[in-house]
Amino acid sequence: MEIKTVTMIGMGAVGAVVGIRLQKLLGKNMQCIVDAERKARYERDGIFVNGEKTDFNWVTPENAQPADAVIIATKNAHLPQAIQNIRKAVGQNTMILSLLNGIQSERDLAQAYGEEKILPAFVLSLNSIHEGNKIAYTNAGRLFFGESDNRKTERVQVLCDLFSRAGIVSVNPDDIQLELWKKYLINVTFNTLSALCRSPYGGFKYPVMQELARKTGAEVIAVANAEGIALTPQHLEDDLAMMCRHDKHGKTSMLQDMEARRKSENPWFCGTVVQLGKKHGISTPVCALLEQLVSGTEAVREV
């Protein structure tokens, strides 16, 4: 078993950094699905990753070919369309990895294509800035992935081999669900607070930001535990320490979205915590307020 063909969709701050390595390894055997308008624009203007122009193999959904692996790196709001757009790239034995933030995309993909095709995945510690057709990064991060039930299967091994040959640092953890929720804890807590307070990573050195992070994170931990995930307050403390080690001028993806006046992933961050809280009878007043503040900020800028 060997992965010879890969399809990607979503070539933004995460997708382009992963994709440029796969492109160099696989060449034309790595296809990137985009709509016709984006295809024309990207072929005309290109995408620059750390100043390097990369000519990806752009294809429209109707011209996509079945691939051994499909990697999705869109925003959550674009996932429903992505699910439709990858349809011709998904064959009988295709593996699907979603690098989307949050905990919902794997469930939506499993409903569309079958749970057996889905390997939970995410990228951690990737520090990148996305402006127009330019992506700049200082840390490519690590790609976590695994079988939903943590089995060490042949396809896990061939993915490890693919990422190694492409120069992508990958991790197949003992418990992928716990690791997925640990990343979700970061997304909900630090992305949301950074966006609302317009704070780069360096802002989390201040006690007031750390207190806000602890109050927000406590609600994520509570709903995670109710979902059977062993998140702990120590995980949050580790995250706080990690934030303070990042480049103090670096920005979360949600802060970048806010500054660029793009819709954020708020419904999949605090919004999901609030929904899960209601499901389990857990009070989530901090996340409920933060969700409303982000929604309000996005609404009034349209005035």
Side-chain angles (χ1 to χ4, degrees):
M1 186 177 184
E2 181 182 359
I3 297 175
K4 297 180 180 179
T5 55
V6 173
T7 292
M8 290 196 68
I9 185 167
M11 303 304 286
V14 173
V17 175
V18 173
I20 193 171
R21 287 165 167 74
L22 292 171
Q23 173 83 4
K24 289 178 179 179
L25 175 68
L26 299 173
K28 292 297 183 181
N29 286 328
M30 206 280 279
Q31 60 183 354
C32 302
I33 295 179
V34 290
D35 60 36
E37 184 276 329
R38 286 180 183 268
K39 181 175 184 291
R41 173 155 47 91
Y42 289 160
E43 288 178 342
R44 181 187 69 240
D45 301 334
I47 283 183
F48 294 81
V49 181
N50 277 0
E52 178 183 353
K53 185 175 185 291
T54 301
D55 295 317
F56 289 108
N57 178 24
W58 306 110
V59 298
T60 54
E62 60 272 17
N63 292 321
Q65 299 297 315
D68 297 323
V70 171
I71 299 175
I72 303 172
T74 65
K75 294 288 189 179
N76 274 287
H78 302 143
L79 180 60
Q81 187 61 56
I83 287 174
Q84 298 303 316
N85 287 350
I86 65 172
R87 193 159 297 278
K88 286 198 172 182
V90 179
Q92 183 175 356
N93 298 312
T94 300
M95 298 173 267
I96 304 176
L97 288 81
S98 166
L99 305 184
L100 275 65
N101 289 320
I103 56 173
Q104 185 60 39
S105 64
E106 284 83 4
R107 303 175 193 188
D108 293 344
L109 284 160
Q111 187 174 8
Y113 290 106
E115 190 172 349
E116 71 283 355
K117 290 188 179 297
I118 314 304
L119 288 90
F122 63 91
V123 174
L124 186 66
S125 298
L126 190 157
N127 186 7
S128 64
I129 300 291
H130 181 197
E131 296 179 349
N133 66 335
K134 297 178 175 61
I135 295 101
Y137 70 94
T138 56
N139 186 342
R142 295 169 292 160
L143 198 162
F144 287 69
F145 73 97
E147 297 283 2
S148 295
D149 59 5
N150 299 313
R151 289 177 299 126
K152 305 302 180 183
T153 59
E154 182 182 4
R155 64 181 185 172
V156 165
Q157 185 54 53
V158 297
L159 278 168
C160 284
D161 177 66
L162 171 72
F163 294 141
S164 177
R165 288 187 291 120
I168 297 169
V169 178
S170 67
V171 180
N172 175 226
D174 292 333
D175 188 341
I176 186 62
Q177 299 296 341
L178 174 59
E179 297 300 328
L180 196 66
W181 272 83
K182 285 165 64 177
K183 171 68 183 296
Y184 184 55
L185 175 63
I186 293 172
N187 289 150
V188 174
T189 303
F190 299 99
N191 276 39
T192 305
L193 291 174
S194 70
L196 284 171
C197 298
R198 302 300 195 270
S199 171
Y201 294 129
F204 288 100
K205 72 178 182 180
Y206 295 106
V208 64
M209 293 294 287
Q210 295 188 7
E211 182 180 357
L212 285 167
R214 290 187 177 100
K215 288 180 178 179
T216 307
E219 295 183 357
V220 181
I221 292 166
V223 298
N225 293 165
E227 288 279 300
I229 306 297
L231 271 184
T232 69
Q234 186 57 52
H235 289 131
L236 181 60
E237 294 303 316
D238 293 342
D239 293 339
L240 269 170
M242 178 179 68
M243 288 294 145
C244 293
R245 290 194 300 270
H246 281 327
D247 175 4
K248 66 180 181 180
H249 300 297
K251 299 177 181 181
T252 66
S253 60
M254 194 168 177
L255 174 56
Q256 293 180 54
D257 287 340
M258 194 70 78
E259 290 180 338
R261 302 174 71 85
R262 296 188 292 259
K263 290 288 287 185
S264 74
E265 294 185 291
N266 180 47
W268 295 271
F269 290 176
C270 285
T272 297
V273 175
V274 173
Q275 291 174 9
L276 290 174
K278 292 177 180 177
K279 170 185 173 182
H280 294 290
I282 296 170
S283 178
T284 57
V286 177
C287 286
L289 177 59
L290 294 178
E291 180 194 15
Q292 288 182 317
L293 286 171
V294 174
S295 296
T297 300
E298 293 178 342
V300 299
R301 71 188 181 197
E302 302 302 324
V303 176

